[in-house]
Amino acid sequence: MNTSVEPYTTEDGREIGGVVMEMKNITLRFGGVVAIKDISFDIRQGEIRAIIGPNGAGKSSMLNVISGFYTPSEGSVWYQGAPRPPMKPYQIARQGVARTFQNIALFEGMSTLDNIMTGRLTHMKSSMLSQGLWWGKAQQEEAEHREIVEKVIDFLEIQTIRKTPVGRLPYGLKKRVELARALAADPKILLLDEPMAGMNVEEKEDMSRFILDVNDEFGTTIVLIEHDMGVVMDLSDRVVVMDYGKKIGDGSPDEVRNNQDVIDAYLGVAN
Ligand SMILES: Nc1ncnc2c1ncn2[C@@H]1O[C@H](COP(=O)(O)OP(=O)(O)OP(=O)(O)O)[C@@H](O)[C@H]1O
Ligand SMILES: [Mg+2]
């Protein structure tokens, strides 16, 4: 692993390690639209890295590049010290990067528990066929997955809604179930696309606490897109600011808050 940057401990006692992922001169085009223009930045082990910027700035597109869902038109993504080749969907799931979506993408008719179980799918070895042939082995595997899922349910305090069909849950809880499903995959890097959008103050506080707890307890590296500047300032170690597909700022929350380009393009409007 590339540890070219010295590890350090944050003021609140979290350990930040070396660089785990590096975006090198990423450009992403959709036909004539240039969603990302020559952007470089890195992500360090254990940090909470925010991406902010106005609507259409290219934030979700960047998250899709980080996850490997989009292959950049130009530039490369380095992961754990080596360039990462273009990936197939099953490879994306297995590399240890899990995500939530800007628009909730859960199975509304299924229970909370079953939705979270789908987060384990990429780890399941037994196919349907082998479950018929090797019933005992598959049953043991199922029990192991259940145990991990139960831990996630406890951690996110959603025991009381485990049997509830997700379609009946209020918005804030649906977002929490989505986080639970991503966590069930036991990710090294967790990508959150506006996890607090549309939430009330109390729901935002809950979600902020869970994001911090995940980072603190499991050392999970988190990349977070968020519009609420208060949340970004509270949670993140470093912030990338995007505008019209370009990077216009990169640094600590205080640094970007005082960056004139960022104020002009974004903060002036948001505040
Ligand atoms: N699949 C796609 N095909 C064509 N254009 C796209 C596609 N995805 C995104 N775009 C365009 O790329 C630009 C960046 O979009 P993106 O969704 O990444 O922005 P964003 O910063 O996430 O915005 P928002 O805050 O509204 O979520 C926009 O102009 C958008 O219309
Ligand atoms: Mg978006």
Side-chain angles (χ1 to χ4, degrees):
M1 194 176 298
N2 179 358
T3 49
S4 56
V5 190
E6 286 299 307
Y8 70 99
T9 306
T10 63
E11 278 174 20
D12 52 352
R14 295 173 302 111
E15 304 289 330
I16 309 294
V19 172
V20 279
M21 197 179 271
E22 217 179 334
M23 307 298 167
K24 297 194 183 191
N25 304 100
I26 303 289
T27 293
L28 180 71
R29 293 190 199 90
F30 297 107
V33 178
V34 190
I36 301 173
K37 291 175 194 153
D38 194 22
I39 287 191
S40 302
F41 65 93
D42 60 32
I43 301 165
R44 299 181 60 159
Q45 170 65 45
E47 81 175 335
I48 302 181
R49 188 73 152 122
I51 302 177
I52 66 170
N55 294 116
K59 305 179 298 295
S60 294
S61 301
M62 183 54 86
L63 217 62
N64 280 319
V65 170
I66 295 171
S67 77
F69 185 73
Y70 289 157
T71 301
S73 314
E74 286 164 36
S76 55
V77 177
W78 284 54
Y79 184 38
Q80 294 177 333
R84 188 181 66 185
M87 290 185 296
K88 303 210 162 57
Y90 72 91
Q91 294 173 312
I92 293 170
R94 285 187 186 166
Q95 63 170 337
V97 181
R99 67 170 301 175
T100 65
F101 294 86
Q102 189 164 357
N103 301 305
I104 291 171
L106 293 165
F107 301 102
E108 297 256 313
M110 278 163 54
S111 70
T112 294
L113 180 67
D114 288 342
N115 267 282
I116 301 171
M117 275 301 267
T118 64
R120 295 297 307 161
L121 280 176
T122 55
H123 294 275
M124 290 188 185
K125 290 183 210 77
S126 312
S127 67
M128 287 306 215
L129 179 64
S130 73
Q131 288 196 24
L133 296 174
W134 299 98
W135 189 80
K137 183 169 158 282
Q139 219 187 26
Q140 184 198 344
E141 208 195 305
E142 158 106 22
E144 285 165 15
H145 291 304
R146 265 303 276 271
E147 203 180 307
I148 292 166
V149 166
E150 293 302 337
K151 274 193 195 141
V152 171
I153 287 175
D154 283 349
F155 189 78
L156 294 183
E157 298 166 14
I158 44 180
Q159 300 91 335
T160 54
I161 56 159
R162 53 192 301 128
K163 294 277 163 58
T164 313
V166 157
R168 284 205 227 133
L169 297 175
Y171 184 78
L173 276 178
K174 281 186 187 171
K175 287 287 227 190
R176 208 188 297 178
V177 174
E178 238 204 333
L179 175 63
R181 180 177 58 185
L183 279 183
D186 195 17
K188 294 189 189 71
I189 302 182
L190 180 62
L191 311 177
L192 306 174
D193 197 344
E194 302 198 21
M196 283 165 258
M199 286 187 171
N200 64 37
V201 174
E202 197 183 328
E203 289 170 331
K204 278 187 186 182
E205 280 171 3
D206 282 347
M207 185 55 95
S208 295
R209 177 168 59 89
F210 286 123
I211 291 170
L212 273 176
D213 283 353
V214 167
N215 174 260
D216 199 18
E217 285 261 328
F218 310 119
T220 313
T221 305
I222 293 173
V223 183
L224 167 79
I225 298 176
E226 183 50 51
H227 277 291
D228 185 320
M229 286 313 297
V231 169
V232 169
M233 296 296 158
D234 277 353
L235 285 188
S236 56
D237 297 302
R238 287 192 300 164
V239 187
V240 172
V241 191
M242 293 180 69
D243 187 32
Y244 291 109
K246 293 200 194 110
K247 185 174 98 168
I248 59 166
D250 188 355
S252 70
D254 274 337
E255 280 164 359
V256 300
R257 187 162 44 188
N258 295 311
N259 175 329
Q260 194 56 46
D261 289 341
V262 177
I263 293 167
D264 292 345
Y266 185 53
L267 296 181
V269 185
N271 292 337

